Amino acid sequence: MDYKKQMERYIERLEGKTGKHNADLIKKFNEKQQALPSQPGYKRLIVTLHRLSSISQMMKHKEFDKLTEDDLIKFNNTLRNRGLKSASDYRKTIKMFLRLTNKKKFFDLIDSEYLRNYKTNGSKAVNPEEFWTQEQINDYINASKNHNVRQLAFAALWLSTGGRPTEILSI
């Protein structure tokens, strides 16, 4: 299979998948990525293009050069809701995109906790606000009060520390 031709065809159809503005940004990003010293192969470039196209769809074609932290929160929630096993790869892809665009406003987004790579023994500390609204958090606390003291203590520890369930249970 000729990956170079496949990539060229993908780029030709990109505008229909991401909108003109994002397609132009992704094309420029693709050129910069090809010029990297690591010189990623065409197969790798295709995977990156596909992920950026999917990210654009998840963000409802929001222009990549106008992303905010709220957009990243929504993106992260979309990854969680869809249960994507490759969520970390999607985060890495958008982070690489933001880094290679060399726009100063993106530096804060690159370091955003929503793009951090959480790989501590295969799990991460949980930020409840990343997944739940304040109303859902309040509902969880109220439901915990109806069970027992242990459940309420678990809820309080989890919501205040973001620790993993096994860490909280070991306390």
Side-chain angles (χ1 to χ4, degrees):
M1 182 175 283
D2 188 1
Y3 289 117
K4 183 176 181 179
K5 286 182 183 178
Q6 187 178 355
M7 184 186 75
E8 289 168 356
R9 282 194 309 263
Y10 197 91
I11 288 175
E12 288 172 9
R13 297 185 310 244
L14 198 57
E15 191 172 318
K17 296 179 180 195
T18 64
K20 180 168 178 27
H21 187 76
N22 278 348
D24 292 340
L25 292 173
I26 292 171
K27 287 174 189 175
K28 289 176 188 172
F29 165 75
N30 191 47
E31 291 169 5
K32 287 183 178 183
Q33 194 179 17
Q34 287 181 32
L36 289 174
S38 60
Q39 296 179 340
Y42 290 112
K43 185 175 181 182
R44 181 78 182 142
L45 292 170
I46 291 168
V47 169
T48 302
L49 290 172
H50 176 70
R51 284 188 189 142
L52 286 171
S53 175
S54 296
I55 289 167
S56 177
Q57 291 171 3
M58 285 182 222
M59 292 186 171
K60 296 183 176 41
H61 303 295
K62 168 103 182 195
E63 295 176 350
F64 283 154
D65 58 351
K66 295 181 181 169
L67 294 177
T68 64
E69 188 153 1
D70 286 340
D71 296 322
L72 295 180
I73 292 169
K74 290 176 188 172
F75 168 65
N76 217 33
N77 288 336
T78 302
L79 291 175
R80 180 185 56 84
N81 291 339
R82 291 187 181 177
L84 295 175
K85 292 180 182 176
S86 57
S88 175
D89 296 328
Y90 280 89
R91 286 187 193 99
K92 286 178 194 173
T93 300
I94 192 68
K95 190 172 182 175
M96 182 174 34
F97 173 84
L98 294 172
R99 184 174 286 125
L100 284 181
T101 54
N102 289 329
K103 298 197 188 273
K104 283 190 174 185
K105 79 169 221 122
F106 287 151
F107 292 144
D108 289 338
L109 292 180
I110 289 170
D111 292 331
S112 166
E113 66 182 86
Y114 302 102
L115 291 181
R116 285 195 190 128
N117 185 14
Y118 299 101
K119 288 217 173 176
T120 310
N121 298 329
S123 60
K124 66 172 189 160
V126 176
N127 176 3
E129 292 175 1
E130 177 181 352
F131 300 109
W132 289 353
T133 64
Q134 188 60 46
E135 183 180 319
Q136 291 170 321
I137 291 172
N138 291 339
D139 289 345
Y140 178 67
I141 291 171
N142 289 334
S144 296
K145 288 178 184 176
N146 295 332
H147 287 285
N148 58 36
V149 176
R150 182 178 177 183
Q151 175 63 30
L152 185 58
F154 180 90
L157 277 171
W158 178 62
L159 292 170
S160 62
T161 66
R164 293 179 211 76
T166 55
E167 293 171 334
I168 293 171
L169 290 173
S170 67
I171 293 174

